[in-house]
Amino acid sequence: MSHTAQPENDPGAETSAEGEHARRFGWWDMFVHPDDDQRSEGGFQGERATLVGYLRDQRLTLEMKCSGLDAADLARRSVEPSNMSLLGLVRHIAGVEQTWFRIRLAGQDGPRHYRTDDDRDGDFNGAVPDPAVVADAWDTWRAEVAFAERFVAEAPDLDLVGKRGDCLREVLVHMIEEYARHNGHADFLRERIDGRVGQ
């Protein structure tokens, strides 16, 4: 994979005096054309639809930020000295989904994904450039998202209190916050990998 900030044949690409690509916004640098973007533009009706819709959009943004990269790039710790990588973020957020929806709200037991008492940063530390690790991370994340979506769809209302005393409404707000924060990290990680910005 090429690691230039903008492909040379892109109409918005500029070259600095040092010969490096300058950062410049343009639709040519977007992950998808606006007409093909699966995310919403708001306009939700009602509290549940609003919270669920914004969370869905944040989840789609994380997928988009990771698209088109191989295992090496996904595992690259591109914002030194942080141990974060895009793959680490996927593994981390899979564990966050599991914790809030499966464990705290639904009351299910089981080991946490990718972290142990001996390595509480295992989600990031174990994000190695191996296609099998990447596939496992996406499978795990998608399974947890599917569980969360079913749980929310079947909840009678947003006042539902989970097995450990957490209110569904507050969990949804927290998850939007969690994704938004980490999508900001993903912005920097991705730009350092291949210069992709925006969306």
Side-chain angles (χ1 to χ4, degrees), residues 91-114:
R91 286 162 55 97
H92 172 73
I93 207 71
V96 173
E97 295 269 8
Q98 175 198 30
T99 297
W100 285 105
F101 291 103
R102 192 181 294 274
I103 297 175
R104 298 193 67 86
L105 286 173
Q108 295 186 6
D109 292 323
R112 292 281 304 277
H113 295 309
Y114 310 122

Side-chain angles (χ1 to χ4, degrees), residues 32-191:
V32 295
H33 188 277
D35 293 342
D36 300 320
D37 196 336
Q38 296 182 43
R39 296 170 300 174
S40 70
E41 293 184 359
F44 303 110
Q45 299 297 315
E47 184 183 17
R48 184 194 292 250
T50 299
L51 293 174
V52 168
Y54 272 90
L55 180 53
R56 175 184 177 273
D57 287 348
Q58 291 293 332
R59 288 167 171 155
L60 288 170
T61 298
L62 179 62
E63 278 193 289
M64 185 180 293
K65 286 293 178 179
C66 296
S67 64
L69 298 178
D70 60 19
D73 281 334
L74 286 170
R76 183 176 165 195
R77 290 157 173 82
S78 60
V79 184
E80 301 85 358
S82 173
N83 69 340
M84 282 188 180
S85 64
L86 290 169
L87 177 56
L89 287 177
V90 175
R91 286 162 55 97
H92 172 73
I93 207 71
V96 173
E97 295 269 8
Q98 175 198 30
T99 297
W100 285 105
F101 291 103
R102 192 181 294 274
I103 297 175
R104 298 193 67 86
L105 286 173
Q108 295 186 6
D109 292 323
R112 292 281 304 277
H113 295 309
Y114 310 122
R115 86 186 268 191
T116 65
D117 291 338
D118 293 333
D119 187 1
R120 296 183 64 80
D121 282 334
D123 41 9
F124 291 105
N125 294 335
V128 296
D130 180 338
V133 174
V134 172
D136 174 75
W138 284 118
D139 287 347
T140 302
W141 178 74
R142 290 190 176 104
E144 293 302 336
V145 168
F147 178 89
E149 290 176 337
R150 286 193 305 272
F151 185 92
V152 175
E154 293 169 3
D157 55 56
L158 296 178
D159 292 322
L160 179 144
V161 175
K163 302 296 184 181
R164 300 197 182 183
D166 303 286
C167 177
L168 175 57
R169 176 184 290 102
E170 187 174 358
V171 169
L172 288 170
V173 171
H174 172 69
M175 290 301 297
I176 294 167
E177 171 191 50
E178 183 85 14
Y179 271 95
R181 179 170 183 250
H182 287 311
N183 282 334
H185 297 142
D187 283 338
F188 286 117
L189 289 162
R190 183 65 190 250
E191 187 170 356

